[in-house]
Amino acid sequence: MTRTGTPAPSRANTALWKPSSRTCLPPTAATSQTVNDILERLPVLIVLDGLDEVARSATRERVVYEIDRFVARLHTALRPQVIVTTRPNVGGLAEPSPERFETIALNRLGETLRITYLHKWARARAIPEKEARSLERIFRQRSAEPHISQLADNPMQLTILLYLMHKRGNSVPANRTDLYTSYMETFLVREAEKTAAVDEHRTGLEEVTAYLGWHLQARAEREGGKRQLPMRELQRAILNYLFDVGKNTTLVDDLFTAVTGRVWALTSKVQGTFEFDVQPLREYFAARYLYEFASADQRAFDRAEVLCQLRHLGSRARRSKHRSSSRR
Protein backbone atom coordinates (compact mmCIF):
# COMPACT_ATOMS: atom_id res chain seq x y z
CA MET A 1 0.00 0.00 0.00
CA THR A 2 1.35 3.42 -0.89
CA ARG A 3 0.20 6.69 0.60
CA THR A 4 -1.60 9.11 -1.70
CA GLY A 5 0.37 12.16 -2.72
CA THR A 6 3.44 10.30 -4.02
CA PRO A 7 3.77 8.29 -7.23
CA ALA A 8 3.83 4.52 -6.75
CA PRO A 9 7.47 3.38 -6.91
CA SER A 10 8.59 0.38 -8.92
CA ARG A 11 9.57 -1.33 -5.69
CA ALA A 12 7.17 -0.83 -2.79
CA ASN A 13 8.93 0.99 0.04
CA THR A 14 7.63 -1.38 2.69
CA ALA A 15 8.20 -4.87 4.03
CA LEU A 16 5.67 -7.58 3.11
CA TRP A 17 4.57 -10.59 5.13
CA LYS A 18 4.99 -13.87 3.28
CA PRO A 19 2.43 -16.33 4.74
CA SER A 20 4.04 -19.48 3.31
CA SER A 21 7.34 -18.95 5.16
CA ARG A 22 6.05 -16.72 7.99
CA THR A 23 8.95 -14.39 7.45
CA CYS A 24 9.06 -10.68 6.76
CA LEU A 25 10.60 -9.86 3.40
CA PRO A 26 13.07 -6.95 3.36
CA PRO A 27 11.99 -3.81 1.42
CA THR A 28 14.21 -4.66 -1.56
CA ALA A 29 12.34 -7.97 -2.05
CA ALA A 30 8.94 -6.30 -2.50
CA THR A 31 8.63 -6.05 -6.29
CA SER A 32 5.53 -5.30 -8.35
CA GLN A 33 5.39 -9.02 -9.18
CA THR A 34 5.25 -9.81 -5.46
CA VAL A 35 2.26 -7.49 -5.10
CA ASN A 36 0.55 -9.04 -8.12
CA ASP A 37 1.07 -12.54 -6.70
CA ILE A 38 -0.52 -11.50 -3.40
CA LEU A 39 -3.50 -9.94 -5.18
CA GLU A 40 -3.97 -13.16 -7.19
CA ARG A 41 -3.77 -15.56 -4.25
CA LEU A 42 -5.19 -13.72 -1.21
CA PRO A 43 -8.25 -11.60 -0.36
CA VAL A 44 -6.89 -8.07 0.05
CA LEU A 45 -8.21 -4.77 1.42
CA ILE A 46 -6.27 -1.78 0.05
CA VAL A 47 -6.67 1.51 1.92
CA LEU A 48 -5.32 4.74 0.40
CA ASP A 49 -5.57 7.16 3.30
CA GLY A 50 -5.55 10.97 3.20
CA LEU A 51 -6.31 12.04 -0.36
CA ASP A 52 -7.27 15.45 1.07
CA GLU A 53 -3.61 15.97 2.02
CA VAL A 54 -2.83 16.36 -1.69
CA ALA A 55 -3.77 20.03 -1.97
CA ARG A 56 -2.06 21.09 -5.23
CA SER A 57 -4.47 20.72 -8.14
CA ALA A 58 -2.00 19.27 -10.67
CA THR A 59 -0.60 16.73 -8.19
CA ARG A 60 -4.10 15.80 -7.08
CA GLU A 61 -5.16 15.12 -10.69
CA ARG A 62 -2.13 12.88 -11.20
CA VAL A 63 -2.79 10.93 -7.99
CA VAL A 64 -6.48 10.43 -8.81
CA TYR A 65 -5.60 9.39 -12.37
CA GLU A 66 -3.21 6.73 -11.05
CA ILE A 67 -5.79 5.50 -8.52
CA ASP A 68 -8.42 5.09 -11.25
CA ARG A 69 -5.91 3.29 -13.50
CA PHE A 70 -4.86 1.00 -10.68
CA VAL A 71 -8.46 0.03 -9.87
CA ALA A 72 -9.21 -0.55 -13.55
CA ARG A 73 -6.37 -3.09 -13.69
CA LEU A 74 -7.67 -5.11 -10.73
CA HIS A 75 -9.32 -8.02 -12.53
CA THR A 76 -8.29 -10.82 -10.18
CA ALA A 77 -10.70 -13.57 -9.19
CA LEU A 78 -10.72 -12.46 -5.53
CA ARG A 79 -11.75 -8.87 -6.36
CA PRO A 80 -9.70 -6.81 -3.85
CA GLN A 81 -11.54 -3.97 -2.12
CA VAL A 82 -10.07 -0.47 -2.43
CA ILE A 83 -10.91 2.34 -0.01
CA VAL A 84 -9.82 5.96 -0.53
CA THR A 85 -10.30 8.27 2.46
CA THR A 86 -10.66 12.04 2.13
CA ARG A 87 -12.47 14.96 3.64
CA PRO A 88 -15.21 16.56 1.50
CA ASN A 89 -13.73 19.27 -0.71
CA VAL A 90 -15.25 22.55 -1.82
CA GLY A 91 -12.42 23.55 -4.15
CA GLY A 92 -13.35 21.40 -7.14
CA LEU A 93 -10.28 19.20 -6.74
CA ALA A 94 -10.16 15.86 -8.58
CA GLU A 95 -11.72 12.82 -6.93
CA PRO A 96 -11.80 9.14 -7.92
CA SER A 97 -14.32 8.19 -10.61
CA PRO A 98 -17.89 7.67 -9.30
CA GLU A 99 -18.15 4.86 -11.86
CA ARG A 100 -15.57 2.89 -9.90
CA PHE A 101 -16.13 4.13 -6.33
CA GLU A 102 -19.18 4.42 -4.11
CA THR A 103 -19.17 7.52 -1.88
CA ILE A 104 -19.82 6.80 1.80
CA ALA A 105 -20.05 9.62 4.36
CA LEU A 106 -19.14 8.95 7.99
CA ASN A 107 -21.65 9.93 10.65
CA ARG A 108 -20.85 11.07 14.16
CA LEU A 109 -20.42 8.41 16.82
CA GLY A 110 -23.66 7.17 18.34
CA GLU A 111 -24.01 5.82 21.88
CA THR A 112 -23.25 2.20 20.95
CA LEU A 113 -20.08 3.09 19.03
CA ARG A 114 -18.91 5.35 21.85
CA ILE A 115 -19.07 2.49 24.34
CA THR A 116 -17.38 0.13 21.86
CA TYR A 117 -14.63 2.72 21.39
CA LEU A 118 -14.29 3.10 25.17
CA HIS A 119 -13.77 -0.68 25.56
CA LYS A 120 -11.14 -0.79 22.81
CA TRP A 121 -9.40 2.31 24.17
CA ALA A 122 -9.22 0.76 27.64
CA ARG A 123 -7.82 -2.51 26.26
CA ALA A 124 -5.24 -0.70 24.13
CA ARG A 125 -4.00 1.13 27.24
CA ALA A 126 -4.04 -2.08 29.32
CA ILE A 127 -6.36 -0.51 31.88
CA PRO A 128 -7.31 -3.03 34.60
CA GLU A 129 -10.85 -4.40 34.33
CA LYS A 130 -12.04 -2.75 37.55
CA GLU A 131 -10.82 0.67 36.40
CA ALA A 132 -12.36 0.13 32.95
CA ARG A 133 -15.75 -0.62 34.51
CA SER A 134 -15.46 2.51 36.66
CA LEU A 135 -14.55 4.57 33.57
CA GLU A 136 -17.56 3.23 31.68
CA ARG A 137 -19.87 4.02 34.60
CA ILE A 138 -18.58 7.60 34.84
CA PHE A 139 -18.77 8.05 31.06
CA ARG A 140 -22.37 6.80 30.87
CA GLN A 141 -23.42 9.09 33.73
CA ARG A 142 -21.70 12.19 32.41
CA SER A 143 -22.75 11.61 28.78
CA ALA A 144 -26.25 12.69 29.78
CA GLU A 145 -24.87 16.23 30.07
CA PRO A 146 -25.16 18.00 26.67
CA HIS A 147 -21.70 19.59 26.77
CA ILE A 148 -20.14 16.20 27.53
CA SER A 149 -22.16 14.46 24.83
CA GLN A 150 -21.10 17.00 22.20
CA LEU A 151 -17.43 16.33 22.92
CA ALA A 152 -17.92 12.57 22.56
CA ASP A 153 -19.22 12.29 19.01
CA ASN A 154 -15.91 12.02 17.16
CA PRO A 155 -12.94 9.73 17.93
CA MET A 156 -10.32 12.45 18.45
CA GLN A 157 -12.38 14.35 21.02
CA LEU A 158 -13.64 11.16 22.64
CA THR A 159 -10.04 9.99 23.14
CA ILE A 160 -9.18 13.18 25.01
CA LEU A 161 -12.39 13.03 27.04
CA LEU A 162 -11.73 9.41 28.07
CA TYR A 163 -8.17 10.28 29.06
CA LEU A 164 -9.47 13.14 31.19
CA MET A 165 -12.13 10.95 32.85
CA HIS A 166 -9.67 8.15 33.50
CA LYS A 167 -7.21 10.58 35.03
CA ARG A 168 -9.69 12.55 37.16
CA GLY A 169 -12.58 10.14 37.66
CA ASN A 170 -15.61 11.72 39.33
CA SER A 171 -13.75 15.01 39.72
CA VAL A 172 -14.14 15.88 36.03
CA PRO A 173 -15.66 19.40 36.17
CA ALA A 174 -19.44 19.65 35.87
CA ASN A 175 -19.34 23.35 35.00
CA ARG A 176 -19.05 23.74 31.24
CA THR A 177 -16.36 26.44 31.34
CA ASP A 178 -14.19 24.46 33.76
CA LEU A 179 -14.74 21.31 31.70
CA TYR A 180 -13.61 22.97 28.46
CA THR A 181 -10.59 24.48 30.23
CA SER A 182 -9.54 21.04 31.52
CA TYR A 183 -10.29 19.49 28.13
CA MET A 184 -8.09 21.98 26.25
CA GLU A 185 -5.27 21.69 28.79
CA THR A 186 -5.32 17.92 28.29
CA PHE A 187 -5.48 18.40 24.52
CA LEU A 188 -2.46 20.73 24.46
CA VAL A 189 -0.39 18.44 26.69
CA ARG A 190 -1.19 15.54 24.38
CA GLU A 191 -0.33 17.51 21.23
CA ALA A 192 2.83 18.99 22.76
CA GLU A 193 4.15 15.46 23.30
CA LYS A 194 3.76 14.80 19.57
CA THR A 195 4.63 18.19 18.04
CA ALA A 196 7.53 20.37 19.14
CA ALA A 197 5.90 23.51 17.66
CA VAL A 198 2.92 23.14 20.00
CA ASP A 199 5.17 22.92 23.05
CA GLU A 200 7.24 25.89 21.90
CA HIS A 201 4.29 28.15 21.06
CA ARG A 202 1.73 26.94 23.60
CA THR A 203 0.94 30.39 25.04
CA GLY A 204 0.61 31.85 21.54
CA LEU A 205 -1.58 28.95 20.42
CA GLU A 206 -4.01 29.51 23.28
CA GLU A 207 -4.26 33.23 22.58
CA VAL A 208 -4.66 32.81 18.82
CA THR A 209 -7.30 30.11 19.35
CA ALA A 210 -9.25 32.44 21.64
CA TYR A 211 -9.08 35.17 19.00
CA LEU A 212 -10.25 32.78 16.27
CA GLY A 213 -13.15 31.75 18.51
CA TRP A 214 -14.25 35.38 18.74
CA HIS A 215 -13.57 35.98 15.03
CA LEU A 216 -15.65 32.97 13.92
CA GLN A 217 -18.41 33.66 16.46
CA ALA A 218 -18.74 37.25 15.24
CA ARG A 219 -18.77 36.04 11.64
CA ALA A 220 -21.45 33.44 12.40
CA GLU A 221 -23.70 36.04 14.04
CA ARG A 222 -23.05 38.70 11.39
CA GLU A 223 -23.43 36.45 8.34
CA GLY A 224 -26.26 34.20 9.43
CA GLY A 225 -24.57 31.09 10.77
CA LYS A 226 -21.42 30.84 8.60
CA ARG A 227 -19.02 29.03 10.92
CA GLN A 228 -16.21 28.09 8.54
CA LEU A 229 -13.14 29.94 7.32
CA PRO A 230 -11.31 29.12 4.09
CA MET A 231 -7.65 28.25 4.59
CA ARG A 232 -6.31 31.53 3.20
CA GLU A 233 -8.68 33.63 5.32
CA LEU A 234 -7.70 31.71 8.44
CA GLN A 235 -4.01 32.26 7.74
CA ARG A 236 -4.65 35.96 7.08
CA ALA A 237 -6.65 36.31 10.31
CA ILE A 238 -3.81 34.80 12.37
CA LEU A 239 -1.20 36.99 10.65
CA ASN A 240 -3.26 40.17 11.12
CA TYR A 241 -3.92 39.41 14.76
CA LEU A 242 -0.25 38.78 15.55
CA PHE A 243 0.67 42.04 13.77
CA ASP A 244 -2.04 44.05 15.58
CA VAL A 245 -0.99 42.89 19.05
CA GLY A 246 2.69 43.39 18.32
CA LYS A 247 3.73 39.74 18.35
CA ASN A 248 6.29 38.16 16.07
CA THR A 249 4.49 37.48 12.77
CA THR A 250 7.18 35.04 11.66
CA LEU A 251 5.48 32.56 14.00
CA VAL A 252 2.50 32.36 11.65
CA ASP A 253 3.90 29.42 9.67
CA ASP A 254 4.35 27.31 12.80
CA LEU A 255 0.97 28.39 14.16
CA PHE A 256 -0.80 27.70 10.89
CA THR A 257 0.87 24.32 10.53
CA ALA A 258 -0.50 23.52 13.96
CA VAL A 259 -3.98 24.57 12.87
CA THR A 260 -3.96 22.49 9.69
CA GLY A 261 -2.65 19.55 11.68
CA ARG A 262 -5.80 19.45 13.83
CA VAL A 263 -4.22 21.06 16.83
CA TRP A 264 -6.62 22.26 19.53
CA ALA A 265 -10.34 22.69 18.72
CA LEU A 266 -10.14 23.62 15.03
CA THR A 267 -10.85 20.90 12.51
CA SER A 268 -11.20 20.66 8.74
CA LYS A 269 -14.50 18.88 8.09
CA VAL A 270 -14.61 20.18 4.52
CA GLN A 271 -11.34 20.30 2.64
CA GLY A 272 -9.98 23.81 2.37
CA THR A 273 -12.01 25.22 5.29
CA PHE A 274 -11.65 25.21 9.09
CA GLU A 275 -14.07 25.49 11.98
CA PHE A 276 -14.59 24.63 15.63
CA ASP A 277 -15.94 21.11 15.80
CA VAL A 278 -18.73 22.02 18.21
CA GLN A 279 -20.38 25.42 18.70
CA PRO A 280 -19.97 25.54 22.52
CA LEU A 281 -16.18 25.33 22.12
CA ARG A 282 -16.28 28.27 19.71
CA GLU A 283 -18.37 30.24 22.21
CA TYR A 284 -15.99 29.27 25.04
CA PHE A 285 -12.99 30.61 23.17
CA ALA A 286 -14.85 33.74 22.10
CA ALA A 287 -15.69 34.49 25.74
CA ARG A 288 -12.12 33.72 26.78
CA TYR A 289 -10.79 36.15 24.19
CA LEU A 290 -13.08 38.93 25.38
CA TYR A 291 -12.20 38.34 29.01
CA GLU A 292 -8.45 37.64 28.82
CA PHE A 293 -7.05 39.24 25.68
CA ALA A 294 -9.32 41.85 24.06
CA SER A 295 -8.47 44.54 26.60
CA ALA A 296 -4.69 44.18 26.25
CA ASP A 297 -4.30 47.29 24.05
CA GLN A 298 -7.49 49.15 25.07
CA ARG A 299 -7.35 50.96 28.41
CA ALA A 300 -11.02 51.91 28.23
CA PHE A 301 -12.11 48.29 27.70
CA ASP A 302 -14.63 47.32 30.40
CA ARG A 303 -14.95 43.57 30.94
CA ALA A 304 -18.00 44.01 33.15
CA GLU A 305 -19.78 45.92 30.37
CA VAL A 306 -18.95 43.17 27.87
CA LEU A 307 -20.33 40.47 30.19
CA CYS A 308 -23.44 42.59 30.81
CA GLN A 309 -24.05 42.96 27.06
CA LEU A 310 -23.51 39.22 26.51
CA ARG A 311 -26.06 38.38 29.20
CA HIS A 312 -28.48 40.86 27.64
CA LEU A 313 -28.06 39.33 24.18
CA GLY A 314 -28.45 35.83 25.60
CA SER A 315 -31.67 36.78 27.41
CA ARG A 316 -33.05 38.41 24.26
CA ALA A 317 -32.22 35.31 22.20
CA ARG A 318 -33.95 33.04 24.73
CA ARG A 319 -37.07 35.27 24.74
CA SER A 320 -37.14 35.26 20.93
CA LYS A 321 -36.84 31.47 20.87
CA HIS A 322 -39.65 31.16 23.44
CA ARG A 323 -41.96 33.40 21.39
CA SER A 324 -41.20 31.40 18.27
CA SER A 325 -42.01 28.14 20.07
CA SER A 326 -45.25 29.58 21.42
CA ARG A 327 -46.43 30.57 17.93
CA ARG A 328 -45.81 27.03 16.70
Side-chain angles (χ1 to χ4, degrees), residues 1-249:
M1 183 179 72
T2 60
R3 188 170 180 80
T4 53
T6 56
S10 58
R11 291 179 180 269
N13 188 25
T14 184
L16 295 179
W17 180 261
K18 188 176 180 182
S20 58
S21 62
R22 295 191 177 279
T23 59
C24 192
L25 298 176
T28 54
T31 65
S32 59
Q33 185 58 48
T34 306
V35 175
N36 287 332
D37 289 344
I38 290 174
L39 293 175
E40 290 286 349
R41 295 186 293 108
L42 299 171
V44 176
L45 172 65
I46 301 168
V47 181
L48 304 174
D49 182 35
L51 180 60
D52 52 279
E53 294 178 13
V54 187
R56 296 184 62 180
S57 179
T59 307
R60 174 74 166 248
E61 288 181 8
R62 171 68 190 279
V63 170
V64 168
Y65 173 73
E66 295 295 345
I67 290 173
D68 285 338
R69 285 187 63 209
F70 171 68
V71 173
R73 295 197 303 269
L74 291 176
H75 295 303
T76 63
L78 294 175
R79 301 285 297 176
Q81 289 188 321
V82 181
I83 296 175
V84 180
T85 68
T86 181
R87 296 187 184 105
N89 86 77
V90 293
L93 295 173
E95 293 192 343
S97 170
E99 296 178 1
R100 302 190 184 280
F101 287 88
E102 176 185 0
T103 301
I104 300 174
L106 297 180
N107 293 324
R108 292 183 175 273
L109 296 178
E111 182 178 357
T112 301
L113 277 178
R114 293 177 188 182
I115 298 301
T116 300
Y117 187 94
L118 183 154
H119 293 160
K120 291 185 176 182
W121 183 85
R123 284 198 298 271
R125 296 181 64 86
I127 295 175
E129 186 176 347
K130 184 177 180 180
E131 291 183 27
R133 288 199 302 270
S134 175
L135 175 63
E136 181 177 349
R137 175 182 55 79
I138 294 170
F139 178 75
R140 287 183 182 274
Q141 289 174 348
R142 300 301 301 274
S143 291
E145 301 168 23
H147 49 285
I148 292 282
S149 181
Q150 286 181 314
L151 286 177
D153 61 8
N154 83 49
M156 180 192 70
Q157 292 177 179
L158 180 54
T159 299
I160 297 166
L161 191 59
L162 291 175
Y163 176 84
L164 185 60
M165 288 183 170
H166 181 240
K167 182 179 179 181
R168 300 186 57 172
N170 286 317
S171 65
V172 171
N175 176 276
R176 186 170 72 173
T177 299
D178 292 339
L179 171 68
Y180 287 160
T181 300
S182 296
Y183 170 87
M184 294 312 301
E185 286 175 354
T186 304
F187 198 0
L188 281 169
V189 168
R190 178 175 175 266
E191 293 297 322
E193 292 174 352
K194 299 186 297 182
T195 309
V198 176
D199 189 39
E200 182 181 353
H201 303 306
R202 176 165 178 163
T203 301
L205 287 171
E206 293 187 66
E207 181 174 346
V208 167
T209 308
Y211 166 73
L212 291 174
W214 174 82
H215 185 73
L216 282 164
Q217 180 68 18
R219 174 190 174 102
E221 294 183 8
R222 184 176 62 249
E223 300 180 16
K226 289 186 178 179
R227 60 187 186 182
Q228 299 170 330
L229 268 184
M231 184 185 300
R232 289 182 181 274
E233 287 188 34
L234 181 65
Q235 191 172 20
R236 190 183 305 121
I238 296 175
L239 184 63
N240 289 343
Y241 177 74
L242 291 173
F243 179 82
D244 289 343
V245 298
K247 293 187 180 294
N248 190 348
T249 57

Side-chain angles (χ1 to χ4, degrees), residues 250-271:
T250 60
L251 296 179
V252 71
D253 289 336
D254 284 341
L255 294 175
F256 194 70
T257 298
V259 174
T260 58
R262 289 179 155 265
V263 174
W264 3 298
L266 282 169
T267 60
S268 180
K269 298 179 184 178
V270 177
Q271 187 175 356

